[in-house]
Amino acid sequence: MRPFEYVSPNTRTQAISLLGASWGNAEILAGGTDLLTLMKDDVVAPKRLINIKGIHDLHGVSSNAQGFHIGALTTLGDLADDATVRRNYPALAEALPEAASPQIRNLATLGGNLCQRPRCWYFRNGFGLLPKNETGKELAAGGENRYHAILGNEGPAKFVSPSTLVPILIAYGAKIRLEGPKGKREFPLEKFFVIPKNEGEREHDLRPNEIVTEVVIPPASDVRAAHYEIRQKEVFDWPLAVAGVALRMRGSNVKSARIVMGYVAPVPWPSPEAEQALMGQPINKDTAQRAAEAALTNAKPLSHNAYKVQLARVALRRAILKAASGGVS
Amino acid sequence: MPDYAWPDAQHRTLIGTRVSRVDSPAKVSGQAKYTYDVHRPGMLYGKVLRCPYAHAKIVSIDTSAAEKMPGVKAVHIVQGPGAAIHWAGDEVVAVAAVDEPTAEDAIRVIKVEYQQLPHLVSDAEPPKGGAQEEGPLSMDALDDMLDNEMPAGQMVSQIQQYGITEKPSEGRLNELKEDGASDAVLDALRTAAVHPEAASKLPSSYQKAAAQTVGDPEKAFAEAAVVSEGLYGIPLIAHCCLESHGSISEWTDQDHLFTHISTQNVSGIPGQMAEPLKIPATNVRVHQDHIGGGFGSKFSPDRWGIFTAEISKKAGGKPVRIMLERDAELEVAGARPSAYARVKVGAMKDGALVAWQSNSWGTGGPGGGGMPPIPYVFSIPNQRQEHIAIRNNIGPARAWRAPNHPQAAVLTMCALDDLAAKLNMDPVEFFGKNLNLTKQRENTYREELAIASELMDWKQKWHPREQIASGGMARGVGLSFHTWGGRGHASDCDLTIHPDGSVELKLCSQDLGTGTRTCILIVASETLGIPMDAIQLQIGDTTYPPSGGSGGSTTIGGVSSSTRRAAADARDALFTKVAPALNTQPDQLECVNGKLSVKGDSSRSLSWKEACSKLGAMPLTIRGKNPDRSKPPDLTNSGVGGVQMAEAEVDADTGVVKVKKMVAVQDCGLVIDLKTAESQCYGALIMGISYSLYEEKVMDPSTGRMLNADMGFYRLAGLSDIPELVVHMMTGKGYDERGVIGLGEPPVISPGAAISNAVANAIGVRVPFLPLTPDRVLAALEQKAGA
Ligand SMILES: Cc1cc2nc3c(=O)[nH]c(=O)nc-3n(C[C@H](O)[C@H](O)[C@H](O)COP(=O)(O)OP(=O)(O)OC[C@H]3O[C@@H](n4cnc5c(N)ncnc54)[C@H](O)[C@@H]3O)c2cc1C
């Protein structure tokens, strides 16, 4: 780890003023479960570390008519134990304890979870987010890409978006709130994730001097939702495919659907094709399968990850069936 | 001659019972000190600059900025300009500084210029018709063959056929002998043709070994009723010791070194450090209390152990600590060679095996690597083997728990299992029918197979491969056989009885986590007739009598024999001193539960303490020593057999494999501690599940680097991946009287083959290569659907 300056502001305004106008100089430190690893491995080397944990109004959760507000510094552990989450957003409550390990969840914050960097092993070994070797050859496309993207991989970005919570959050219609020197921004969570085209660009729509302040999930009492993950190991393993599904029903047919895949693309991947396929349909094995197939029609696997197409399909099919049956696995 | 023989079943009180580890409380409470925990006063922290390229030449090194950095105490060039690097992560410069960050900063300002050279990190099947060298063998190649436990016969035939690149000196021959070269191999080397010109030739990546033939395989295949052909393999994996390699070294004066090192071989370290450091071995003191895993990768001080001592010297003798970081541990501190083969096997209609043919390849890094002993366990009457060793830049291989046997088990047992499926035979019946081919182990295997079948409920669970559920969850069972040597090693120990009744036992062995401390105390306690906690045991320090390295499953046989001898002699010496006081002859005395009494007359007795007071002023010390290896063993023995069965469940939609149950039936002669013996098997099954489902070193073809040198993507099984494990130790008549035999390695040999066979049974098709990851399982299913 390289030497750095460490500051602990107490307000959002202070924190924002300490951030720089370009990437690379300053980093926000929340739980540190991701950032410290990146620093130890010399993948990122900020000159200034801004510990935001002293900013009180970024902690904790609250509810109002808009929905459920989650402060960026709320830990995944606290969220998993939260009664409102369990009651009103059972699919999120199911996804939380599947993420990482109890020790990590006790430190990891939701804001950090949304901003965590990709797990791509080329990136983590210092070859860049759009990994190239010294001669400029793209490494992931012709290399060890068994865990890489099968969708949205036309450009140089081949990594997959790492959060397992984001697909179900997007399916529930979550919004993200940011704050920077020019004020606040709010937009649907899926818009927060972008595919970088050049090295040096980030995978989030976050300006270098902005912080994530909260996530708002709208009320979901009429939603049937489910989260499904395929991992090789039983627990504490990076998944191979993730699906988040939220259905609104009219009688026994689908009125509207939100369907999002994770671990398939450099961004969380909503599938309007699958949503369309379910519209007006009852949920059964056949309709779920058709929706899953529609979602993967455009998949373009790399040299070693064709199997992920099948896994993404299965995760989606199982999530749809699980959602329809009330979210119980 | 005193009678050292192990007491028979009626006369054993501790041996063979379930005794908990004596060091468990220290370990679970965190009091046990591992090398990693050692922090010496004034200690400096060492860091290593590693080469980022898989194959390169060092052009120049500039360390001036590091030398000037405040807090840096020593800079040491490990490999200088001109040196060739053969794997990424190899050591180039080491520094010692007052703290870790400073040492890291210093490493970062060192400038090294490399000339990059082409690398190969693949171990894929050698290209047909590609350049395959059948050239003379280098000394490195020979070392490698020994590391890989290539059978002596194979080595001799290769030496005779190809010759060697340099004539070995007698000193070199002695070294080879110490590394396990048999006399036949040494003789072959003395008379081998020498081709020095070949040494300078750029070696091909593919080195072909001499083909071997037994019987008439061609004819046998022609006559066979059924022939099965398949592709099988097991990848390169890391040892992944949870306590990484490393040491803390300090000079107590100009020419005396004190080293704390994480090692399987405490007694062997001084000799290996002495030569490079140019001091006598007597001047090196080595200490280790506990070790967090070695698995065959921690026998030598390693290059980094030597330069830790050298830097300490440069820094005025101050303690210097270099423990490898996790990524280095996974990249450079050892790997199990890979092995792959196209195998053809033939049997008669009744299942009798008649013919084997294998074309195998694999890599053990820059040195290539030998062929595993295939066909394994079953001596098929007609066989032909061809092997190509791939020399590449994946990093150096090391012995990994039962070197070459897990590979041999996968290549053999999976091929035979496929043949059984083709014959439409239950594998239990098929393997059972061929047990005559296992020669002297036949009865053991037969008994074990029956017990394992029962414990697995095999009859209920096995089904022909065609009868499988389509889609959804599929279950199946598989089995495998294995064998190992395990005769005790040389081991000296000193047992001292003090006049106040206290007893101490010292030997420079190590407890690899297998329960060695506990077993030594059981033997001493049983022999002396006093409780285990009345004996103070000291191990892990070179100030104690030398005891062999813990490799080849030789420790339990070695330390139990020498302890038995020392304790029996000490007991008899004490009886001689005490007999007059009880008015009897020494041979009429016995000691039970801390009470010395005349046999058959417990009224004539002394407490242990009273008895020891008869020793006079001086304590009594007895040296226990095992008979020379050239003599037939008495208290220990060699050769064990084991049978394992696995039940697996496969999600046919996702290719995710879960092991549902494993059964291990194992013999190891006389069991000293049933509990630690069973634990050894549990641990082996867990490690086996890990390498069957998860472990593999992923190498990037273009940068030549290991991509998963971390615990996130170098996966190990977690608690919830471990199913019901059933262990049955073979004991009693036919087993106990063979003496004590090692158990460290044998139970880790079969899991790969057994689990692969269970998956084949579940889904009706072979997944050729371990680990059985979803991509491989789905590919096999797809191929089956297409067929
Ligand atoms: C072993 C392991 C397993 C894991 N498994 C999973 C899993 O299964 N599923 C999953 O979803 N995640 C998983 N994670 C990731 C984990 O959830 C994240 O590391 C964690 O949520 C990050 O939160 P943090 O507070 O520790 O962030 P930090 O490490 O402090 O920060 C992470 C990044 O986010 C930025 N950041 C943090 N907070 C803000 C903010 N408020 N505004 C702007 N930028 C911010 C930081 O600058 C940094 O770049 C795993 C992590 C580990 C180490």
Side-chain angles (χ1 to χ4, degrees), chain B residues 361-409:
Chain B
W361 69 94
T363 187
M371 184 178 84
I374 46 176
Y376 187 50
V377 174
F378 294 85
S379 306
I380 301 173
N382 304 285
Q383 359 177 321
R384 182 175 168 81
Q385 296 95 335
E386 287 183 36
H387 182 79
I388 296 176
I390 304 179
R391 287 188 288 222
N392 63 14
N393 307 96
I394 48 99
R398 293 184 179 194
W400 187 98
R401 239 177 141 178
N404 261 333
H405 283 231
Q407 294 93 319

Side-chain angles (χ1 to χ4, degrees), chain B residues 314-336:
Chain B
K314 279 194 182 168
K318 281 197 171 191
V320 173
R321 167 196 173 92
I322 295 184
M323 299 295 297
L324 297 193
E325 276 93 17
R326 177 57 49 192
D327 52 357
E329 178 68 22
L330 285 161
E331 278 190 277
V332 307
R336 181 179 77 184

Side-chain angles (χ1 to χ4, degrees), chain A residues 117-199:
Chain A
R117 310 301 311 275
R119 293 283 150 188
C120 166
W121 46 28
Y122 290 101
F123 172 63
R124 298 265 162 179
N125 278 299
F127 295 107
L129 192 56
L130 313 176
K132 289 193 182 68
N133 71 5
E134 288 157 349
T135 65
K137 184 182 157 208
E138 274 191 33
L139 293 176
E144 280 293 350
N145 50 38
R146 64 185 77 176
Y147 301 131
H148 286 74
I150 51 172
L151 283 161
N153 55 7
E154 296 77 11
K158 307 285 191 240
F159 61 86
V160 292
S161 179
S163 169
T164 57
L165 306 177
V166 162
I168 188 63
L169 282 170
I170 294 176
Y172 271 127
K175 294 194 169 65
I176 188 167
R177 290 184 170 173
L178 315 175
E179 197 168 323
K182 291 193 185 127
K184 301 183 180 178
R185 296 201 284 152
E186 177 189 299
F187 45 83
L189 183 55
E190 63 265 35
K191 298 248 160 27
F192 182 60
F193 300 94
V194 292
I195 303 182
K197 297 201 172 52
N198 301 296
E199 193 65 50

Side-chain angles (χ1 to χ4, degrees), chain B residues 659 682 685-687 689-690 717-725:
Chain B
V659 179
Y682 293 132
L685 293 176
I686 292 169
M687 197 170 194
I689 290 170
S690 249
L719 265 185
S720 45
D721 302 306
I722 307 306
E724 179 189 3
L725 305 176

Side-chain angles (χ1 to χ4, degrees), chain B residues 772-784:
Chain B
L772 303 164
T773 48
D775 50 342
R776 294 186 176 90
V777 174
L778 289 177
L781 281 168
E782 200 170 304
Q783 203 167 25
K784 178 185 151 205

Side-chain angles (χ1 to χ4, degrees), chain B residues 495-665:
Chain B
L495 193 147
T496 302
I497 303 178
H498 291 269
D500 69 348
S502 57
V503 177
E504 68 189 340
L505 180 57
K506 293 177 172 172
L507 66 164
C508 187
S509 181
Q510 50 280 318
D511 187 335
L512 229 48
T514 49
T516 304
R517 280 185 174 86
T518 313
C519 290
I520 292 171
L521 285 169
I522 288 174
V523 170
S525 162
E526 177 95 58
T527 310
L528 291 172
I530 57 174
M532 284 168 68
D533 59 13
I535 305 163
Q536 270 189 41
L537 174 66
Q538 315 273 6
I539 64 171
D541 196 293
T542 48
T543 56
Y544 310 144
S547 186
S550 290
S553 305
T554 54
T555 307
I556 185 67
V559 299
S560 63
S561 307
S562 62
T563 301
R564 174 76 179 164
R565 291 181 144 76
D569 287 349
R571 176 198 61 202
D572 293 350
L574 180 67
F575 285 176
T576 307
K577 295 268 190 183
V578 170
L582 287 172
N583 236 333
T584 186
Q585 295 303 312
D587 62 358
Q588 291 308 303
L589 284 171
E590 63 180 3
C591 184
V592 179
N593 279 333
K595 201 166 128 186
L596 253 86
S597 50
V598 178
K599 285 180 195 163
D601 180 1
S602 63
S603 67
R604 287 158 68 201
S605 71
L606 291 173
S607 73
W608 174 262
K609 205 171 158 71
E610 289 165 340
C612 294
S613 69
K614 309 283 179 225
L615 286 173
M618 288 298 285
L620 168 84
T621 294
I622 300 281
R623 169 68 52 108
K625 214 174 175 50
N626 291 338
D628 194 87
R629 261 187 98 84
S630 62
K631 305 212 173 69
D634 52 0
L635 299 177
T636 174
N637 215 323
S638 183
V640 299
V643 174
Q644 289 186 6
M645 290 181 173
E647 182 183 21
E649 185 180 72
V650 184
D651 182 335
D653 285 337
T654 64
V656 172
V657 175
K658 301 277 173 205
V659 179
K660 287 293 171 188
K661 179 173 178 174
M662 291 209 68
V663 171
V665 182

Side-chain angles (χ1 to χ4, degrees), chain B residues 54-401:
Chain B
H55 192 195
K57 211 169 214 139
I58 301 175
V59 177
S60 68
I61 301 182
D62 177 1
T63 59
S64 53
E67 320 235 8
K68 282 190 228 118
M69 195 175 271
V72 172
K73 298 294 177 192
V75 177
H76 179 82
I77 294 185
V78 183
Q79 298 191 77
I85 304 282
H86 293 285
W87 56 85
D90 202 10
E91 302 83 21
V92 180
V93 184
V95 301
V98 289
D99 54 27
E100 275 192 279
T102 309
E104 269 172 24
D105 289 347
I107 285 299
R108 222 175 268 127
V109 298
I110 295 170
K111 293 195 192 81
V112 184
E113 193 190 330
Y114 299 97
Q115 179 198 348
Q116 286 189 60
L117 300 168
H119 63 248
L120 175 75
V121 290
S122 159
D123 60 1
E125 187 164 15
K128 293 246 152 46
Q132 286 165 7
E133 184 186 326
E134 306 186 40
L137 306 166
S138 68
M139 284 299 130
D140 281 352
L142 291 165
D143 280 339
D144 218 72
M145 290 174 178
L146 291 172
D147 279 353
N148 287 310
E149 307 221 334
M150 182 187 272
Q154 260 184 58
M155 279 188 77
V156 170
S157 79
Q158 301 215 4
I159 293 165
Q160 287 169 345
Q161 182 163 355
Y162 298 133
I164 50 180
T165 55
E166 62 182 291
K167 193 164 179 62
S169 65
E170 275 309 305
R172 190 75 179 93
L173 288 172
N174 268 332
E175 281 171 36
L176 290 170
K177 186 177 174 135
E178 272 170 31
D179 291 343
S182 70
D183 289 338
V185 169
L186 298 177
D187 285 344
L189 286 172
R190 283 193 189 93
T191 54
V194 182
H195 308 276
E197 71 289 349
S200 56
K201 216 179 73 190
L202 198 66
S204 150
S205 298
Y206 302 103
Q207 186 164 35
K208 209 169 179 169
Q212 296 172 58
T213 308
V214 172
D216 189 345
E218 227 165 284
K219 181 158 165 269
F221 275 117
E223 287 168 7
V226 176
V227 173
S228 165
E229 290 184 62
L231 175 63
Y232 311 91
I234 175 167
L236 193 90
I237 66 168
H239 290 66
C240 197
C241 302
L242 289 191
E243 179 190 40
S244 62
H245 287 61
S247 60
I248 295 97
S249 266
E250 62 197 88
W251 292 82
T252 50
D253 64 30
Q254 260 306 304
D255 45 21
H256 285 84
L257 183 75
F258 183 25
T259 293
H260 290 82
I261 182 168
S262 183
T263 182
Q264 307 180 227
N265 188 15
V266 180
S267 292
I269 294 295
Q272 298 180 70
M273 295 191 84
E275 202 188 289
L277 295 176
K278 300 190 182 61
I279 50 173
T282 48
N283 293 15
V284 181
R285 177 171 165 212
V286 177
H287 185 91
Q288 171 187 254
D289 287 335
H290 296 278
I291 176 173
F295 314 113
S297 67
K298 288 183 180 166
F299 288 109
S300 109
D302 290 311
R303 183 196 270 154
W304 50 87
I306 303 294
F307 66 63
T308 304
E310 287 171 333
I311 304 175
S312 166
K313 187 148 221 180
K314 279 194 182 168
K318 281 197 171 191
V320 173
R321 167 196 173 92
I322 295 184
M323 299 295 297
L324 297 193
E325 276 93 17
R326 177 57 49 192
D327 52 357
E329 178 68 22
L330 285 161
E331 278 190 277
V332 307
R336 181 179 77 184
S338 61
Y340 306 88
R342 293 188 181 278
V343 179
K344 185 167 140 189
V345 267
M348 305 313 285
K349 231 198 182 101
D350 64 353
L353 279 164
V354 292
W356 165 280
Q357 184 190 310
S358 54
N359 293 78
S360 53
W361 69 94
T363 187
M371 184 178 84
I374 46 176
Y376 187 50
V377 174
F378 294 85
S379 306
I380 301 173
N382 304 285
Q383 359 177 321
R384 182 175 168 81
Q385 296 95 335
E386 287 183 36
H387 182 79
I388 296 176
I390 304 179
R391 287 188 288 222
N392 63 14
N393 307 96
I394 48 99
R398 293 184 179 194
W400 187 98
R401 239 177 141 178

